[in-house]
């Protein structure tokens, strides 16, 4: 069993930065890849970025390339999402989720993730 708790969301002006954290409980967390998703009102949940269990491999959506960076510290059971150059269209609830055996397009599929956090709101003002 893995429990995930996101934090670090808030209100920021366009061009600003935020760092989200995804803190996990459960001794098997280091065996899971982690994906960040976001969901804006009236829109489907969208994959943002993912990181393998070891941290050695990452995958990123085109919409955030060059602006967002994912990392993890397995000693702290935490995954981070550094978000720079934020835009109003980045406004959404951000979720982290845990997955095993992800590769290729599987990262993009919410139904393949086993555990989800409750989400943290990110609002970017223009």
């Amino acid at each position: 069993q893995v429990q995930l708790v996101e934090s670090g969301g808030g209100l920021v002006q366009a061009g600003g930065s935020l760092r989200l954290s995804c803190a996990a409980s459960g001794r098997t967390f280091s065996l899971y890849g982690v994906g960040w998703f976001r969901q804006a009102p009236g829109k489907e949940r969208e994959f943002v970025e993912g990181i393998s269990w070891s941290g050695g491999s990452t995958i990123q959506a085109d919409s955030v390339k060059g602006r967002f960076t994912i990392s993890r510290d397995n000693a702290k059971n935490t995954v981070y999402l550094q978000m720079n150059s934020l835009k109003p269209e980045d406004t959404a609830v951000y979720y982290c989720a845990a997955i095993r055996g992800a590769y290729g397009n599987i990262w993009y599929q919410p139904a393949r993730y086993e555990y989800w956090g409750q989400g943290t709101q990110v609002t970017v003002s223009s």
Side-chain angles (χ1 to χ4, degrees):
Q1 186 78 5
V2 174
Q3 293 182 323
L4 304 174
V5 179
E6 302 95 337
S7 62
L11 173 64
V12 64
Q13 288 188 330
S17 299
L18 284 173
R19 188 176 80 157
L20 305 184
S21 298
C22 173
S25 62
R27 58 184 180 177
T28 62
F29 175 69
S30 62
L31 301 179
Y32 285 80
V34 173
W36 282 97
F37 286 78
R38 64 187 182 186
Q39 189 165 20
K43 294 189 176 181
E44 293 188 353
R45 195 163 294 192
E46 172 193 22
F47 174 79
V48 175
E49 194 153 3
I51 189 166
S52 63
W53 66 272
S54 67
S57 177
T58 62
I59 183 168
Q60 193 175 46
D62 288 344
S63 59
V64 303
K65 277 184 179 177
R67 301 188 298 122
F68 291 12
T69 304
I70 193 170
S71 61
R72 71 186 294 163
D73 184 342
N74 283 342
K76 295 182 178 180
N77 273 8
T78 303
V79 173
Y80 305 97
L81 184 67
Q82 178 66 44
M83 306 187 297
N84 298 329
S85 302
L86 283 161
K87 305 175 181 180
E89 51 263 44
D90 295 318
T91 295
V93 177
Y94 283 70
Y95 300 89
C96 64
I99 186 170
R100 285 187 292 186
Y103 62 92
N105 287 340
I106 288 178
W107 284 102
Y108 291 79
Q109 301 172 20
R112 301 297 293 264
Y113 288 74
E114 294 183 44
Y115 303 103
W116 289 84
Q118 83 290 347
T120 186
Q121 176 70 46
V122 172
T123 303
V124 184
S125 63
S126 57

